Structures are given as C-alpha cells and as structure tokens.
Amino acid sequence: MSTVYLTTTFSDVFKSSFMDKVTSFSIIDTLLAMCVAFALGLFIFLVYKKTFSGVMYSASFGVSLIAMALITTFIILAITSNVVLSLGMVGALSIVRFRTAVKEPLDISFLFWSIAVGIVVGAGLIPLAVIGTILIGVIMIVFVNKKSTDNPYILVINCVNDAAEKTALSSVNDSVKKYVVKSKTVSKSGIELTIEIRLKDMTTDFVNKISDLNGVENVVLVSYNGDKMS
C-alpha cells in the first residue's frame, strides 16, 4: 500500500480564481475610464446649471449627476470583465428602488443622460460617449434656453349676466389669436370666466377695451408659462 502525501505551499493558498481576476485587472484602463466619466459628468452638470429654469436650484442634484456617471462606469467595467459577475450584478441591482420624487420633467433627461454616459464609457466606447455628450449638451442649451414669444396668459373676466358674457367673449375673440374657456363660475353676484389666451401681437391694450364693456365689472390678465406648480 502506497501513501500519498499532500503538501501545500504558501503560494498554493493564494492561487485562486479571485487572485486571477486581480492580476487581470488593468489600473490604467480603469483610471482612464473614470477620468473620462468624471469630465463628461462635469459637462452634464454645467449644462444642467446653465439650462435650469425651475423655482429652486438643487446643487446636490447637480453633483449627483457626476456621481451617477462615475458609479455607472465602474459597475459596467466590472460587468464587462466577467459574464458570471454580470448576471449576479443584474440580480443585485434589481432590488434597488428609488423613491425620490423628480419635480422637474427635464431632470429625468439629465439622469438618463448621466447613466447612459457611464454605460458607454464603461463599455469602452469613449469616442461615442464624448461626441454624443457634446451633441446632447448643445441641443439642451439651444432648445431649453429658447424663449418662446407665444406664452399663454390667463384672462379672468367678471360679468353681471349672460349678455355681458357673450359680449366679452366676442371682444376676446377679436382681440387675441386663440382662446379657450378653462372655467365658468356662476353665482348671485354674476359670472366669472377664466380664459387661457394667446396674444395676437403681444399687446395688452384689449384688457382696457373689455373692461369698458357694459356689464363687465372686472378684468384681470395674468402671465402664465403653462407649467404646473408642485
């Protein structure tokens, strides 16, 4: 009977697939990808700051755009290096839930933009990420900051009876480019009309004209940009 002796050396202890992944890891590629992701994330942050038109600017949201690009980049770097890891990463990320309400609809575009940059940079398509980010940034700056001359207005008219209402609406129809009656309130004191209008030649002289009509007690014109306050 022969005896088999098993000898374990110090190097055999650390000889594992985990150490193989460490040796195959490229520090230069990772640093390059993270630097590009940071630069593009900073560009997205500056575009967001330039195009922000809301009520309250959130600096933390802008910084989170940079962080989102960096985080997504190193996740994609890890996923692309190992197929088994990619399956486990998908399962781990599927339990993540974001419950923070996004108040501005345009903020969603910036979030997806940052995530897309991280994905593309992490996949190694750096030229695509740079060109795409610059084009999107230019489009954002041009269209978001574009001032529209066809802003809606809210016209509130108080009438004493139906005859005054018809006369007022006829005058509104002749004075503006387009109008829509949003609400009509009838009470003992009279009739109140709330009308959304589009000015014909950006003049408001017609307000005084309607105020002078018989049966019209009060006329108020309010500037309105069409957005809803949350």
Side-chain angles (χ1 to χ4, degrees), residues 34-46:
M34 296 299 286
C35 289
V36 173
F38 174 77
L40 296 180
L42 182 61
F43 178 78
I44 296 174
F45 166 72
L46 295 177

Side-chain angles (χ1 to χ4, degrees), residues 11-25:
S11 60
D12 292 334
V13 175
F14 295 94
K15 188 180 295 183
S16 64
S17 59
F18 178 78
M19 295 303 297
D20 292 338
K21 294 185 182 64
V22 175
T23 56
S24 63
F25 175 75

Side-chain angles (χ1 to χ4, degrees), residues 70-147:
L70 292 171
I71 294 171
T72 308
T73 297
F74 85 78
I75 290 178
I76 298 301
L77 287 173
I79 290 177
T80 54
S81 64
N82 191 294
V83 177
V84 177
L85 178 61
S86 64
L87 297 176
M89 190 70 72
V90 171
L93 295 177
S94 64
I95 65 175
V96 178
R97 296 291 184 272
F98 298 97
R99 300 186 181 276
T100 302
V102 179
K103 297 181 179 180
E104 296 291 337
L106 195 60
D107 291 351
I108 301 177
S109 300
F110 282 96
L111 286 174
F112 277 106
W113 187 9
S114 296
I115 295 173
V117 165
I119 293 174
V120 176
V121 172
L125 305 176
I126 294 179
L128 175 61
V130 174
I131 296 174
T133 300
I134 293 175
L135 289 177
I136 295 174
V138 172
I139 292 173
M140 286 286 192
I141 293 175
V142 171
F143 285 93
V144 174
N145 288 340
K146 184 179 180 181
K147 302 298 182 181

Side-chain angles (χ1 to χ4, degrees), residues 70-226:
L70 292 171
I71 294 171
T72 308
T73 297
F74 85 78
I75 290 178
I76 298 301
L77 287 173
I79 290 177
T80 54
S81 64
N82 191 294
V83 177
V84 177
L85 178 61
S86 64
L87 297 176
M89 190 70 72
V90 171
L93 295 177
S94 64
I95 65 175
V96 178
R97 296 291 184 272
F98 298 97
R99 300 186 181 276
T100 302
V102 179
K103 297 181 179 180
E104 296 291 337
L106 195 60
D107 291 351
I108 301 177
S109 300
F110 282 96
L111 286 174
F112 277 106
W113 187 9
S114 296
I115 295 173
V117 165
I119 293 174
V120 176
V121 172
L125 305 176
I126 294 179
L128 175 61
V130 174
I131 296 174
T133 300
I134 293 175
L135 289 177
I136 295 174
V138 172
I139 292 173
M140 286 286 192
I141 293 175
V142 171
F143 285 93
V144 174
N145 288 340
K146 184 179 180 181
K147 302 298 182 181
S148 176
T149 58
D150 194 26
N151 291 328
Y153 288 80
I154 294 297
L155 184 67
V156 181
I157 304 176
N158 295 101
C159 307
V160 295
N161 50 38
D162 292 338
E165 176 191 350
K166 293 179 181 179
T167 304
L169 289 177
S170 177
S171 179
V172 170
N173 184 47
D174 296 335
S175 303
V176 302
K177 181 166 58 177
K178 181 181 179 182
Y179 79 94
V180 177
V181 178
K182 307 297 290 187
S183 68
K184 177 180 178 180
T185 305
V186 180
S187 62
K188 292 182 179 181
S189 58
I191 302 173
E192 182 181 271
L193 298 174
T194 301
I195 309 171
E196 181 178 320
I197 64 173
R198 305 278 177 166
L199 299 182
K200 183 181 298 184
D201 51 3
M202 299 305 296
T203 180
T204 58
D205 294 338
F206 67 93
V207 176
N208 295 329
K209 177 182 176 181
I210 298 175
S211 299
D212 295 336
L213 295 175
N214 292 329
V216 176
E217 294 182 336
N218 187 36
V219 180
V220 177
L221 182 65
V222 181
S223 177
Y224 171 60
N225 62 1

